[in-house]
Coordinates of all heavy atoms in Angstrom, one line a residue:
A46 N 85.2 96.9 103.2 CA 85.9 98.2 103.4 C 87.4 98.0 103.2 O 88.1 99.0 102.9 CB 85.6 98.8 104.7
D47 N 88.0 96.8 103.4 CA 89.4 96.6 103.3 C 89.9 96.5 101.8 O 91.2 96.4 101.7 CB 89.8 95.3 104.1 CG 89.5 95.5 105.6 OD1 89.6 96.7 106.0 OD2 89.3 94.5 106.3
T48 N 89.0 96.4 100.9 CA 89.5 96.2 99.5 C 88.5 97.0 98.5 O 87.4 97.2 98.8 CB 89.6 94.7 99.1 OG1 90.0 94.6 97.8 CG2 88.2 94.0 99.3
D49 N 89.0 97.3 97.3 CA 88.2 97.9 96.3 C 87.5 97.0 95.5 O 86.5 97.3 94.8 CB 89.0 98.9 95.5 CG 89.5 100.2 96.2 OD1 88.9 100.6 97.1 OD2 90.6 100.7 95.8
T50 N 88.0 95.7 95.4 CA 87.4 94.7 94.5 C 86.1 94.3 95.1 O 85.9 94.3 96.3 CB 88.3 93.5 94.3 OG1 88.7 92.9 95.5 CG2 89.6 94.0 93.6
V51 N 85.2 93.9 94.3 CA 83.8 93.5 94.7 C 83.5 92.1 94.1 O 83.3 92.0 92.9 CB 82.8 94.5 94.3 CG1 81.4 94.1 94.8 CG2 83.2 95.9 94.7
P52 N 83.5 91.1 94.9 CA 83.0 89.7 94.4 C 81.5 89.8 94.0 O 80.7 90.4 94.8 CB 83.2 88.8 95.6 CG 84.2 89.5 96.5 CD 83.9 91.0 96.3
V53 N 81.2 89.2 93.0 CA 79.8 89.1 92.5 C 79.4 87.7 92.2 O 80.1 86.9 91.6 CB 79.7 89.9 91.2 CG1 78.2 89.9 90.6 CG2 80.1 91.4 91.3
F54 N 78.2 87.3 92.7 CA 77.6 86.0 92.6 C 76.1 86.1 92.1 O 75.6 87.2 92.3 CB 77.5 85.2 93.9 CG 78.8 85.0 94.6 CD1 79.4 86.0 95.4 CD2 79.5 83.9 94.4 CE1 80.6 85.8 96.0 CE2 80.7 83.6 95.0 CZ 81.3 84.6 95.8
T55 N 75.6 85.1 91.5 CA 74.2 85.1 91.3 C 73.4 84.8 92.5 O 74.1 84.4 93.5 CB 73.7 84.1 90.2 OG1 73.9 82.8 90.8 CG2 74.5 84.2 88.9
A56 N 72.2 85.2 92.7 CA 71.4 84.9 93.8 C 71.4 83.4 94.2 O 71.2 83.0 95.3 CB 70.0 85.5 93.7
L57 N 71.6 82.6 93.2 CA 71.6 81.1 93.3 C 73.0 80.6 93.8 O 73.2 79.4 93.9 CB 71.2 80.4 92.1 CG 69.7 80.7 91.6 CD1 69.5 80.0 90.3 CD2 68.8 80.2 92.6
G58 N 73.9 81.5 93.8 CA 75.3 81.1 94.4 C 76.4 80.9 93.3 O 77.5 80.6 93.6
Q59 N 76.1 81.1 92.0 CA 77.1 80.8 91.0 C 78.0 82.0 90.9 O 77.6 83.2 90.9 CB 76.4 80.7 89.6 CG 77.3 80.6 88.5 CD 76.6 80.6 87.1 OE1 75.5 80.9 87.0 NE2 77.4 80.3 86.1
W60 N 79.3 81.7 90.9 CA 80.3 82.8 90.8 C 80.2 83.5 89.5 O 80.2 82.9 88.4 CB 81.7 82.1 90.9 CG 82.9 83.0 90.7 CD1 83.7 83.0 89.6 CD2 83.3 84.0 91.5 NE1 84.7 83.9 89.8 CE2 84.4 84.7 91.0 CE3 82.9 84.6 92.8 CZ2 85.1 85.7 91.6 CZ3 83.6 85.6 93.4 CH2 84.7 86.2 92.7
V61 N 80.2 84.8 89.5 CA 80.2 85.6 88.3 C 81.6 86.2 88.1 O 82.1 86.2 87.0 CB 79.2 86.7 88.4 CG1 79.2 87.7 87.3 CG2 77.7 86.1 88.6
G62 N 82.2 86.7 89.1 CA 83.5 87.3 88.9 C 83.8 88.4 90.0 O 83.0 88.6 90.9
R63 N 84.9 89.0 89.8 CA 85.3 90.1 90.8 C 85.4 91.4 90.0 O 86.3 91.5 89.1 CB 86.7 89.7 91.4 CG 87.1 90.6 92.5 CD 88.3 90.1 93.2 NE 88.3 88.7 93.7 CZ 87.8 88.4 94.9 NH1 87.5 89.4 95.8 NH2 87.8 87.2 95.3
A64 N 84.6 92.3 90.4 CA 84.7 93.6 89.8 C 85.9 94.4 90.4 O 86.1 94.4 91.6 CB 83.4 94.4 90.0
A65 N 86.7 95.1 89.5 CA 87.9 95.7 90.0 C 87.5 96.9 90.9 O 88.3 97.2 91.9 CB 88.7 96.2 88.8
T66 N 86.4 97.5 90.7 CA 85.9 98.6 91.6 C 84.4 98.5 91.6 O 83.7 97.8 90.8 CB 86.3 100.0 90.9 OG1 85.6 100.2 89.7 CG2 87.8 100.1 90.7
P67 N 83.8 99.2 92.6 CA 82.3 99.2 92.6 C 81.7 99.7 91.3 O 80.6 99.3 90.9 CB 82.0 100.1 93.8 CG 83.2 99.9 94.7 CD 84.3 99.8 93.8
D68 N 82.3 100.7 90.7 CA 81.8 101.2 89.4 C 81.8 100.2 88.3 O 81.1 100.4 87.3 CB 82.7 102.4 88.9 CG 82.5 103.6 89.9 OD1 81.5 103.7 90.6 OD2 83.5 104.4 89.9
A69 N 82.5 99.1 88.4 CA 82.6 98.0 87.4 C 81.6 96.9 87.5 O 81.5 96.1 86.7 CB 84.0 97.5 87.3
I70 N 80.8 97.0 88.6 CA 79.8 95.9 88.8 C 78.8 95.8 87.7 O 78.6 94.6 87.2 CB 79.0 96.2 90.2 CG1 80.0 96.1 91.4 CG2 77.9 95.2 90.4 CD1 79.4 96.6 92.7
G71 N 78.3 96.9 87.3 CA 77.3 96.8 86.1 C 77.9 96.2 84.9 O 77.2 95.4 84.2
T72 N 79.1 96.5 84.5 CA 79.7 95.9 83.4 C 80.0 94.4 83.5 O 79.7 93.7 82.6 CB 81.1 96.6 83.1 OG1 80.9 98.1 82.9 CG2 81.8 96.1 81.9
L73 N 80.3 94.0 84.7 CA 80.6 92.6 84.9 C 79.3 91.8 84.9 O 79.2 90.8 84.2 CB 81.2 92.4 86.3 CG 81.5 90.9 86.8 CD1 82.6 90.4 85.9 CD2 81.9 90.9 88.2
I74 N 78.2 92.3 85.4 CA 76.9 91.7 85.3 C 76.4 91.6 83.9 O 75.9 90.6 83.4 CB 75.9 92.4 86.2 CG1 76.2 92.1 87.7 CG2 74.5 91.9 85.9 CD1 75.4 92.9 88.7
D75 N 76.5 92.8 83.2 CA 76.1 92.8 81.7 C 76.8 91.8 80.9 O 76.2 91.1 80.1 CB 76.3 94.2 81.1 CG 75.4 95.3 81.7 OD1 74.3 94.9 82.2 OD2 75.7 96.4 81.5
T76 N 78.1 91.7 81.1 CA 78.9 90.7 80.4 C 78.5 89.3 80.8 O 78.4 88.4 79.8 CB 80.5 90.8 80.7 OG1 80.8 92.1 80.4 CG2 81.3 89.8 80.0
H77 N 78.3 89.0 82.0 CA 77.8 87.7 82.4 C 76.5 87.3 81.8 O 76.3 86.2 81.3 CB 77.7 87.6 83.9 CG 77.2 86.3 84.5 ND1 75.9 86.1 84.8 CD2 77.9 85.2 84.8 CE1 75.8 84.8 85.2 NE2 77.0 84.3 85.2
E78 N 75.5 88.3 81.7 CA 74.2 88.0 81.1 C 74.4 87.7 79.6 O 73.7 86.9 79.1 CB 73.3 89.1 81.4 CG 72.9 89.1 82.9 CD 71.8 90.1 83.2 OE1 71.4 90.9 82.4 OE2 71.3 90.0 84.4
R79 N 75.2 88.5 79.0 CA 75.4 88.3 77.5 C 76.0 86.9 77.2 O 75.6 86.2 76.3 CB 76.3 89.3 76.9 CG 75.6 90.6 76.6 CD 76.4 91.5 75.6 NE 77.8 91.8 76.1 CZ 78.1 92.7 76.9 NH1 77.2 93.6 77.4 NH2 79.4 92.9 77.3
V80 N 77.0 86.4 78.0 CA 77.6 85.2 77.9 C 76.8 84.0 78.3 O 76.7 82.9 77.7 CB 79.0 85.2 78.6 CG1 79.6 83.8 78.5 CG2 79.9 86.2 78.0
N81 N 76.1 84.2 79.4 CA 75.4 83.1 80.1 C 73.8 83.1 80.0 O 73.2 82.2 80.5 CB 75.8 83.0 81.5 CG 77.2 82.6 81.6 OD1 77.7 81.6 81.2 ND2 78.0 83.5 82.2
G82 N 73.3 84.2 79.4 CA 71.9 84.3 79.3 C 71.2 84.6 80.7 O 70.0 84.3 80.9
G83 N 71.9 85.3 81.6 CA 71.3 85.6 82.9 C 71.4 84.6 83.9 O 72.2 83.6 83.8
D84 N 70.5 84.7 84.9 CA 70.6 83.8 86.1 C 69.8 82.5 85.9 O 69.8 81.6 86.7 CB 70.2 84.6 87.3 CG 70.4 83.8 88.6 OD1 71.5 83.1 88.6 OD2 69.8 84.0 89.6
G85 N 69.0 82.4 84.9 CA 68.1 81.3 84.7 C 68.8 80.2 84.2 O 68.7 79.0 84.2

């Protein structure tokens, strides 16, 4: 609640990045999957 940024990790604990706003989470995850092939 103290910040608008949203840290994002894979369920296995790999750092994905920090979304600038909650609305940007989907874009960050989509980018991560295109670059890294998902969580597997």
Side-chain angles (χ1 to χ4, degrees):
D47 294 332
T48 181
D49 289 335
T50 61
V51 183
V53 179
F54 300 85
T55 67
L57 298 175
Q59 178 187 9
W60 174 250
V61 173
R63 186 175 304 271
T66 66
D68 293 335
I70 294 169
T72 302
L73 182 64
I74 290 172
D75 288 343
T76 301
H77 180 264
E78 288 187 350
R79 278 195 308 272
V80 171
N81 296 296
D84 192 29

